[in-house]
Amino acid sequence: MTVAVDGATVEVVRSYLLAVADEMRTTLIRTAFNPVIYEVLDFGISLYDEQARLVAEAPGLTRFLGANDHSLRMGLAYVGEQNLQAGDVVMLNYPYWNAAHTYDATLFAPVFPPDGGELVGYVCVRAHWMDLGAKDRGYVLDSTDVHQEGLLFPGTKLWDRGEPVTAMHELIRFNSRMPELVIGDLHAQVSCLRTGERRLLEVVEKFGRDTVRAAIDRFLDADEQASRDALAALPHGSWTAEDWMDDDGISEDPIRLQATVTIDAEGFHVDFTGSSPMVPGPVNLPIGATIACARVAFKALTTTFGPSSAGHFRPLTVHAPEGSLFHAVYPAATFTQWTGNLAVELIYKALALGMPDRVAACSGGDVPGFMMVGDHPDTGEFFAISNNDVIGWGACPDHDGESAVNHICQTVARTTPLEVLEARSGMRFERLEVRPDSGGAGKWRGGCGIRREIRFVSDGEFLSVVKRTRSRPWALDGGEESRPTRVVAFPGTDRERLLSTRRVAVRTGDLIVLETGGGAGHGDPQLRDPGAVRRDVVQGYVSPEAAREIYGVNDV
């Protein structure tokens, strides 16, 4: 039955659905065992109608934007919608279907009314687990096939009609080096799903199934039209950009990235043809993750402030040749997902060729990640804890880039607090400060990265994860490139070395210095307001030497 709904009802229903996703988010954060979930917010939470159309998302890791869509579709195809019952929970982490690596566990559940009626929709949550039996402790940096990257679930019921499938739980428990954390996070995700089920059923009960369906149809169509209206106002054309990634973790060979972005009357099209074929190391990206990266750039350019839905992305198409870097197929290694960080920047680089007045310069170039694994100096228990560090954002055509913020592909995500890192590892932080002159000079200056000095108070392993240290982040309109990330292990000793993505043994007393990349500049530095340069010097963003030599401001 078709129901006519007015605009006010549509927005009220939509607000209720967004509130469902937000309450799922609160449940996950408050019940998770792992600081990567409850501190860093490395998760994605989505709500779907009975047609598996995205109707609401909760804020999480930005690069997970719509990533659950691909996972849900693939999971439903594998399990079979006809085989789902009330109370079921299905897990998948098979990278080529899951749009992520093996440690990003996606769980979804069908939502049925308590009277046994027809399907209402689906709730879905993905979150990063700390260990699931991969060949290495912590993060896997040099795998050469997916079977080195942990236990694989293609779409497996962990709860069947509301009852836990004990054998599957025990399989997970006995294949993890950190079973308490992993099982705890599993139950936190299920609590998140159960919250979503209850609240979604309440929405349907309150408004009626037909009204909810009609409201969803209305706002999905409206979101599509909003995206198309925004595209119509943009320049139409086709622009191609290339970039390079340091290596794949196996060899030292740089890896070519290429994207062509086309805007026309039909929509917004991203094509990664021209990028490298799949490589031996774990930087290959599943197609679902590639689509999610394109969604980040598309959404920011078109409907920046509206909540995401399936409607927004109807004008977007994404292509990458099967078997290429951006469309990994079995058994390609996929664990180090940093390729996606560079992909978001690459799309913006292409767009800058066609609309330089709307795009910022490169932001830091990458996400500098690090991790320590070992035995805790106080308890002797095994630990693995990580952090993705802040960088400088690129300058815009009309303002400076922000300093010491999360990369644009993460934004809502947070860094791991120092107190948590120190309490749960063998790391102590002797210095954390803005890195002067790391931002690219320009009429509008790029934001600065940071300098972090890490002293180790116990033996273990330190993992550096960064994929852009050899090339500088790109600038626009006569601005200057910024300084890339630089990781120095054991400075001032005969063991001193530069790291990109590497695992190194550390001993008590060792020091590692992490200097994160700044944002590139926009416009001729000689056109920068001298007063702004003086403020930069006072605030520590620009050195007096750079003020004189680059900006020509001598009275500092």
Side-chain angles (χ1 to χ4, degrees):
M1 181 177 70
T2 301
V3 174
V5 289
D6 58 73
T9 301
V10 170
E11 289 305 310
V12 170
V13 170
R14 181 172 206 168
S15 295
Y16 268 85
L17 295 174
L18 290 168
V20 173
D22 190 62
E23 190 168 346
M24 292 172 65
R25 181 181 191 265
T26 300
T27 301
L28 180 66
I29 291 172
R30 296 187 68 174
T31 57
F33 280 45
N34 171 8
V36 169
I37 299 175
Y38 65 76
E39 293 284 4
V40 177
L41 311 181
D42 189 346
F43 56 72
I45 295 171
S46 311
L47 193 65
Y48 298 87
D49 69 0
E50 73 276 11
Q51 301 177 53
R53 298 181 300 181
L54 175 68
V55 297
E57 279 194 315
L61 191 68
T62 307
R63 224 188 72 204
F64 282 168
L65 183 63
N68 287 345
D69 298 11
H70 188 79
S71 303
L72 179 62
R73 286 195 301 271
M74 300 304 289
L76 290 175
Y78 180 79
V79 175
E81 296 177 49
Q82 71 280 5
N83 296 319
L84 293 174
Q85 308 291 333
D88 287 354
V89 173
V90 177
M91 173 182 166
L92 72 158
N93 71 337
Y94 188 60
Y96 322 107
W97 298 352
N98 188 38
H101 62 183
T102 52
Y103 281 13
D104 287 330
T106 298
L107 275 63
F108 69 86
V111 181
F112 291 95
D115 61 4
E118 62 183 18
L119 179 72
V120 169
Y122 301 92
V123 286
C124 187
V125 55
R126 72 172 57 213
H128 183 85
W129 290 1
M130 290 306 295
D131 191 274
L132 198 55
K135 74 181 187 72
D136 297 321
R137 306 186 302 175
Y139 227 69
V140 181
L141 306 181
D142 61 354
S143 52
T144 54
D145 77 66
V146 71
H147 293 290
Q148 299 172 335
E149 298 178 349
L151 201 61
L152 300 176
F153 291 85
T156 307
K157 286 190 182 183
L158 301 186
W159 269 259
D160 187 357
R161 301 172 190 249
E163 295 298 322
V165 183
T166 304
M168 289 296 102
H169 293 215
E170 290 301 287
L171 184 66
I172 292 171
R173 185 191 309 276
F174 279 86
N175 277 278
S176 176
R177 301 173 180 90
M178 308 177 76
E180 290 186 2
L181 274 184
V182 168
I183 295 298
D185 290 337
L186 166 62
H187 283 274
Q189 286 179 259
V190 174
S191 296
C192 165
L193 295 178
R194 297 306 190 210
T195 298
E197 290 172 15
R198 291 193 302 272
R199 295 296 181 249
L200 179 56
L201 288 171
E202 288 173 5
V203 174
V204 172
E205 182 180 358
K206 181 178 182 66
F207 294 97
R209 174 186 289 273
D210 292 332
T211 297
V212 171
R213 282 174 171 167
I216 289 172
D217 288 339
R218 281 278 304 273
F219 73 68
L220 291 183
D221 290 343
D223 289 348
E224 177 185 1
Q225 191 58 51
S227 291
R228 294 194 181 280
D229 290 345
L231 288 174
L234 294 175
H236 285 197
S238 187
W239 310 280
T240 299
E242 68 170 32
D243 214 329
W244 295 87
M245 185 161 53
D246 281 358
D247 56 55
D248 68 347
I250 302 297
S251 78
E252 297 292 330
D253 298 333
I255 302 169
R256 176 182 170 83
L257 316 176
Q258 180 175 308
T260 298
V261 179
T262 302
I263 302 177
D264 57 26
E266 299 301 316
F268 186 100
H269 317 285
V270 183
D271 188 346
F272 289 94
T273 299
S275 296
S276 166
M278 292 192 310
V279 293
V283 298
N284 304 291
L285 207 63
I287 186 63
T290 300
I291 294 169
C293 292
R295 285 183 168 191
V296 172
F298 173 79
K299 187 72 168 61
L301 192 67
T302 54
T303 52
T304 310
F305 301 107
S308 297
S309 78
H312 284 122
F313 303 114
R314 288 171 181 167
L316 172 67
T317 66
V318 181
H319 173 72
E322 191 170 307
S324 69
L325 186 72
F326 287 102
H327 191 160
V329 296
Y330 176 85
T334 64
F335 200 95
T336 311
Q337 298 278 287
W338 259 240
T339 310
N341 304 331
L342 276 65
V344 175
E345 293 269 24
L346 182 64
I347 295 169
Y348 284 127
K349 187 177 183 181
L351 288 169
L353 299 172
M355 51 192 83
D357 59 324
R358 295 181 65 96
V359 178
C362 189
S363 294
D366 196 5
V367 176
F370 67 85
M371 172 179 280
M372 185 183 181
V373 299
D375 297 327
H376 197 279
D378 297 332
T379 66
E381 295 182 356
F382 171 70
F383 70 84
I385 193 164
S386 63
N387 179 59
N388 289 342
D389 235 330
V390 293
I391 46 87
W393 277 14
C396 292
D398 56 0
H399 62 82
D400 294 342
E402 288 290 338
S403 296
V405 289
N406 273 306
H407 191 271
I408 56 175
C409 71
Q410 295 191 301
T411 56
V412 177
R414 306 184 299 211
T415 57
T416 308
L418 290 180
E419 297 83 355
V420 174
L421 288 169
E422 291 190 338
R424 300 180 70 146
S425 76
M427 294 183 285
R428 296 294 181 268
F429 297 89
E430 296 187 346
R431 184 183 297 267
L432 181 62
E433 62 188 7
V434 168
R435 181 187 180 191
D437 296 330
S438 56
K443 178 182 178 180
W444 301 106
R445 174 186 50 75
C448 291
I450 63 166
R451 176 185 173 94
R452 184 190 290 266
E453 295 184 2
I454 307 170
R455 183 77 64 180
F456 297 93
V457 296
S458 67
D459 298 351
E461 291 179 300
F462 179 83
L463 285 66
S464 168
V465 190
V466 59
K467 284 298 180 185
R468 187 171 179 168
T469 63
R470 300 179 185 177
S471 59
R472 288 176 172 256
W474 45 271
L476 291 174
D477 195 29
E480 294 195 358
E481 297 174 333
S482 52
R483 294 183 181 177
T485 293
R486 185 169 181 265
V487 186
V488 185
F490 323 124
T493 72
D494 57 4
R495 299 158 60 214
E496 180 174 330
R497 57 186 291 199
L498 292 176
L499 304 178
S500 55
T501 300
R502 289 292 181 269
R503 175 188 297 263
V504 295
V506 292
R507 301 192 293 261
T508 301
D510 281 344
L511 178 70
I512 284 182
V513 177
L514 172 61
E515 296 178 330
T516 72
H522 196 295
D524 185 349
Q526 294 294 316
L527 299 179
R528 185 166 178 79
D529 175 17
V533 177
R534 296 186 189 98
R535 287 194 297 273
D536 290 341
V537 173
V538 170
Q539 293 172 337
Y541 298 133
V542 173
S543 67
E545 295 77 18
R548 291 189 289 267
E549 295 171 8
I550 299 175
Y551 292 103
V553 178
N554 295 310
D555 55 338
V556 291

